[in-house]
Amino acid sequence: MENESKFIAKLKDKGSQNKSFEILLDKYKEPIYWHIRKIVLDHDDAHDILQNTFIKVFKAINNFKEQSKLYTWIYRIATNESLNFIKSKAKKHFKTSEEIMIAQTNKLREDPYFDGDELQLKFQEAINTLPVKQKLVFQMKYEQEMKFKDISEILGTSEGALKASYHIAVKKIKKEIIKIQTF
Amino acid sequence: MVSKNNINLNTNRFKTPKGYFEDITIDNIKKIERKGFKVPQNYFETINIDLINNTNYLSKIINFKYREFALSGIAAVLVIGLFINGFFSDSNSFKDAEILDYMNYELVGYSSYDYIELFDVNEFEINFNQLNDNDFEYYLETSFSDDQNLNNE
């Protein structure tokens, strides 16, 4: 992608907006989809959230102050959309977000868009034992191999706090994996 | 005494080896990736600008309809509220002032005989020991019309 500031200017310009948005969509739809999918687990939910994320990006691009990178801004919107989705689903079913995610993990065995083996399922369960923030940090660092600086921009948390969260998350997951692999 | 200003409060003095956090891995264990998640065939090809625009358009329509329904609902509740208030509330509840007005206008002309007819005398227990001179005076003053009635008869 060309110089980011120039590209953002094109996204804000009415004349070039549609074309630029198409480029943006092509570049980010897949990584953003997977980011959302790993949070909400279900394909249909991820599809809805992905669309809402890009609608929000499209609507809010004129208010984007370029204080962060464009990609971290989009990830932040996607993360917030996903978390809000889980919260509203929990509210609708009179449950907590954690309970909703456990139920979602249990549904994976029957999910037509999931064909992971038992180890994958157990790994998913282990990730779900983490609090939301630790889960997000673990996902972004361990799986997506993002830099702490970028994760910090996305989650709005200091790098130090993120490193501590990641350290704890890795320890917990490691413990769970050892348990899984021992049996 | 050591001044607070002389204490090095720099929190950055705790250091970790360079790249320490970057290297935290689930070591000794083969890196597990969350595999197994699939998408429908050609899914990402269906995600394009038209889909986003259509979804945006649809969400606008849904929002408009939702707002319309919400406003109609509020209007209906207000109308029902006013109806209930106007037609049921007032007619069913009497205020103290209304009761007093009724007593003044409707019962003022009643004589003690009328009251006797209204109430069962056997239900009253009169203790004459509790009546004093003031009570008798008050009776004589206020029962003038009754005397008149007796004289007329």
Side-chain angles (χ1 to χ4, degrees):
Chain A
M1 200 180 280
E2 60 194 292
N3 178 295
E4 192 166 286
S5 289
K6 276 186 190 169
F7 182 69
I8 292 164
K10 280 185 180 176
L11 276 170
K12 289 180 180 180
D13 180 58
K14 292 270 175 211
S16 55
Q17 203 168 48
N18 262 21
K19 184 78 195 146
S20 306
F21 196 68
E22 248 180 89
I23 298 166
L24 181 93
L25 196 59
D26 274 345
K27 186 175 166 65
Y28 290 114
K29 63 185 175 187
E30 216 168 319
I32 293 290
Y33 169 84
W34 287 115
H35 175 68
I36 296 166
R37 179 81 187 269
K38 297 285 172 75
I39 299 172
V40 298
L41 304 180
D42 180 72
H43 164 71
D44 293 326
D45 294 342
H47 175 68
D48 291 343
I49 298 165
L50 180 75
Q51 289 183 74
N52 285 341
T53 300
F54 280 107
I55 288 169
K56 287 213 167 157
V57 169
F58 196 59
K59 281 181 179 170
I61 193 70
N62 289 321
N63 301 324
F64 179 51
K65 305 236 169 12
E66 293 180 58
Q67 284 164 349
S68 61
K69 285 180 221 154
L70 181 64
Y71 110 93
T72 56
W73 182 65
I74 298 171
Y75 264 80
R76 190 161 68 232
I77 293 173
T79 308
N80 289 339
E81 279 292 305
S82 308
L83 296 180
N84 286 339
F85 175 85
I86 295 167
K87 265 187 215 164
S88 66
K89 203 172 176 181
K91 209 173 163 186
K92 213 163 125 186
H93 292 91
F94 302 103
K95 287 181 177 173
T96 63
S97 297
E98 287 74 21
E99 284 171 333
I100 286 290
M101 286 323 294
I102 290 166
Q104 205 64 55
T105 312
N106 294 336
K107 272 192 214 165
L108 276 178
R109 287 176 201 274
E110 290 93 47
D111 192 335
Y113 298 119
F114 182 80
D115 63 358
D117 55 18
E118 201 57 29
L119 181 67
Q120 295 296 333
L121 279 168
K122 293 284 178 193
F123 184 48
Q124 187 56 56
E125 280 171 18
I127 292 171
N128 262 340
T129 60
L130 302 172
V132 179
K133 203 134 209 179
Q134 279 178 24
K135 192 159 73 178
L136 288 170
V137 179
F138 180 79
Q139 181 186 321
M140 287 190 247
K141 184 70 199 159
Y142 182 77
E143 298 189 282
Q144 295 170 266
E145 296 178 348
M146 283 184 182
K147 288 177 187 160
F148 278 118
K149 193 176 175 292
D150 292 344
I151 303 173
S152 162
E153 271 184 22
I154 293 165
L155 299 181
T157 312
S158 72
E159 275 188 60
L162 286 178
K163 285 171 183 174
S165 282
Y166 181 61
H167 188 65
I168 297 164
V170 167
K171 260 185 156 178
K172 283 185 190 170
I173 295 282
K174 196 173 161 181
K175 206 172 150 189
E176 291 294 320
I177 289 171
I178 291 168
K179 244 193 265 176
I180 295 164
Q181 291 188 334
T182 317
F183 286 103
Chain B
M1 196 173 157
V2 182
S3 155
K4 194 184 169 188
N5 295 334
N6 293 334
I7 302 169
N8 181 11
L9 293 173
N10 179 11
T11 50
N12 291 330
R13 65 187 184 276
F14 296 103
K15 304 260 186 233
T16 55
K18 203 179 170 191
Y20 170 73
F21 287 105
E22 303 292 328
D23 292 336
I24 293 176
T25 55
I26 302 178
D27 47 15
N28 304 327
I29 296 163
K30 192 181 149 203
K31 182 164 178 170
I32 300 170
E33 280 171 33
R34 267 203 283 184
K35 286 178 187 163
F37 289 97
K38 296 188 300 177
V39 289
Q41 215 177 5
N42 303 326
Y43 169 67
F44 288 111
E45 284 156 37
T46 63
I47 305 292
N48 52 39
I49 188 91
D50 295 332
L51 178 82
I52 302 297
N53 281 338
N54 287 341
T55 313
N56 189 17
Y57 177 69
L58 279 174
S59 72
K60 270 182 191 167
I61 291 174
I62 291 164
N63 278 343
F64 177 73
K65 289 275 175 203
Y66 176 78
R67 212 174 299 158
E68 214 173 54
F69 280 127
L71 287 173
S72 318
I74 292 165
V77 167
L78 281 173
V79 168
I80 292 166
L82 287 171
F83 178 77
I84 289 170
N85 203 32
F87 288 89
F88 296 105
S89 250
D90 281 351
S91 59
N92 280 340
S93 61
F94 294 107
K95 288 172 187 158
D96 290 349
E98 285 173 327
I99 294 166
L100 284 174
D101 281 349
Y102 176 78
M103 298 283 280
N104 287 337
Y105 289 111
E106 299 293 330
L107 301 180
V108 77
Y110 280 28
S111 65
S112 48
Y113 298 104
D114 296 323
Y115 284 115
I116 287 166
E117 276 175 26
L118 276 173
F119 302 107
D120 185 359
V121 183
N122 296 326
E123 283 180 9
F124 291 99
E125 282 180 24
I126 302 165
N127 188 349
F128 289 100
N129 295 331
Q130 283 181 354
L131 293 173
N132 54 35
D133 292 344
N134 288 336
D135 293 324
F136 285 116
E137 269 177 40
Y138 178 74
Y139 173 74
L140 289 171
E141 278 170 20
T142 55
S143 58
F144 179 71
S145 58
D146 291 346
D147 291 340
Q148 246 185 350
N149 286 337
L150 286 170
N151 291 336
N152 289 338
E153 283 173 359

